[in-house]
Amino acid sequence: MRFRKLGRAGLDLSELAIGVSAGDPGDTAAAIASAFDLGVNTVTICAGDREAAGLLAGTGGIRAVHVCATATSRVPFDLPSPHVPAWQAYPGSHLRAEAEALLGRLGIERLALVQLPAWCPEWLHEGDWLETLVRLRDEGKIAGFGVSLFDHDLDAALEAVASGLIDAVQLMYNIFDQGAAAALLPLCEKHNVGVVVRSPLYYGAITPAFARTPAFPDGDWRSGYFFDEHRCETAERVRQLEGLVAPPDRSVTDMALRFCLSHPAVSTVAVGMHQRMHLEANLRAIEQGPLEADRHAALAQHKWLC
């Protein structure tokens, strides 16, 4: 397992992180325990997901793990939407209470990150969230804080990153959505801001099984996201990627994970894994390191969502 710095926060994160959600408790718990045994030391979690926190708390080794938590908004909203002020979405008292509650549920003393999701650039100058998170960092309850971006909304973070006020950014970055490499990732590198990559496999689509799977399980939110036309187009684009797979990669999944690690600004790549075989396959891919320059360059033509 190799590790990368989380920007100015200075933590050494495993290049592969586990995205923890409620999911299937049995398989997920086993996969998490195996991941910790194999050297993974980073997880991402929604701070308000009590079931996922309970799952983590029951897993051995949690005290040695870096937990990157996304806060939950006090006001439900979807983007794009009318502006919700920061003091309504993320009042400082709420952020403190949620962070301290998560620490208690996990039985640990410090979170690696608290991140504000669906980040709006106006929030940089609103509310008391910044003051609260700085105090939590000074108290040693969090190592750093940052923002998590709504899908493809990369410009929203530019001012926050350049300001020097935040420690990390969580964003979507994958072969289909390469937009972050144009401006945001270089800016993060310049200002020593850590980067947590989510959706490296585009919600599980950049896998050999995607085109062969007729439907998602009942209750899977992706059923609505990948409506018929979008699903067909995505499957075709994945098939086009298959022609670029070459050793040591065994699949488009391997290639996609290594693509994300090819940018030096990236601190860790978060993947949801509910089965040990997926964990072991992803670890084998990560161990190969960044893609070769020519293969990485060839993937530029597969940009699609940005």
Side-chain angles (χ1 to χ4, degrees):
M1 178 62 65
R2 286 188 301 271
F3 302 87
R4 297 189 180 195
K5 293 292 184 184
L6 180 63
R8 68 171 68 91
L11 303 179
D12 290 318
L13 304 189
S14 53
E15 290 183 329
L16 183 67
I18 295 185
V20 180
S21 58
D24 179 344
D27 289 347
T28 302
I32 293 171
S34 296
F36 293 166
D37 288 341
L38 293 170
V40 173
N41 76 348
T42 306
V43 300
T44 62
I45 188 174
C46 174
D49 190 338
R50 296 191 177 202
E51 187 174 349
L55 190 66
L56 265 181
T59 304
I62 185 61
R63 291 183 178 276
V65 171
H66 298 308
V67 178
C68 302
T70 53
T72 55
S73 172
R74 290 292 301 274
V75 182
F77 64 92
D78 293 313
L79 294 178
S81 69
H83 179 63
V84 176
W87 56 82
Q88 292 182 11
Y90 299 110
S93 58
H94 166 64
L95 293 175
R96 174 175 285 277
E98 190 169 65
E100 291 177 344
L102 180 58
L103 288 170
R105 293 189 189 102
L106 296 177
I108 59 177
E109 296 180 353
R110 188 212 64 197
L111 301 172
L113 286 176
V114 168
Q115 305 162 101
L116 305 190
W119 174 255
C120 296
E122 296 90 344
W123 290 342
L124 191 62
H125 309 287
E126 294 179 352
D128 62 348
W129 66 270
L130 179 59
E131 176 185 357
T132 299
L133 293 178
V134 168
R135 287 182 177 175
L136 286 170
R137 186 176 61 189
D138 291 345
E139 294 167 10
K141 294 180 178 178
I142 63 176
F145 58 85
V147 304
S148 180
L149 303 182
F150 186 70
D151 293 355
H152 325 304
D153 191 16
L154 302 171
D155 289 349
L158 294 176
E159 183 182 3
V161 170
S163 72
L165 295 174
I166 65 172
D167 303 301
V169 173
Q170 183 180 124
L171 50 81
M172 175 185 278
Y173 182 57
N174 56 57
I175 294 174
F176 292 153
D177 190 347
Q178 303 181 31
L184 185 53
L185 290 182
L187 191 66
C188 288
E189 190 173 17
K190 176 181 178 181
H191 292 278
N192 198 22
V193 171
V195 175
V196 178
V197 167
R198 74 167 186 272
S199 306
L201 305 179
Y202 190 38
Y203 302 129
I206 309 179
T207 63
F210 183 80
R212 302 193 301 267
T213 305
F216 290 105
D218 291 342
D220 192 319
W221 66 271
R222 292 176 297 175
S223 297
Y225 184 85
F226 288 105
F227 55 91
D228 289 347
E229 183 179 353
H230 182 41
R231 184 183 182 87
C232 289
E233 181 173 5
T234 303
E236 176 55 33
R237 290 179 179 272
V238 172
R239 279 191 285 267
Q240 292 173 17
L241 288 177
E242 291 174 349
L244 296 175
V245 175
D249 298 331
R250 297 154 301 151
S251 68
V252 292
T253 301
D254 288 11
M255 184 170 64
L257 291 175
R258 295 181 64 206
F259 169 85
C260 293
L261 287 172
S262 297
H263 200 290
V266 172
S267 304
T268 189
V269 177
V271 187
M273 292 170 281
H274 300 293
Q275 297 182 30
R276 184 183 174 99
M277 66 177 181
H278 294 154
L279 164 68
E280 293 177 343
N282 292 340
L283 283 172
R284 284 195 295 269
I286 291 287
E287 287 170 358
Q288 300 301 323
L291 286 174
E292 300 78 6
D294 57 341
R295 293 185 65 207
H296 185 270
L299 291 172
Q301 64 182 308
H302 292 271
K303 290 188 292 188
W304 170 36
L305 300 170
C306 50

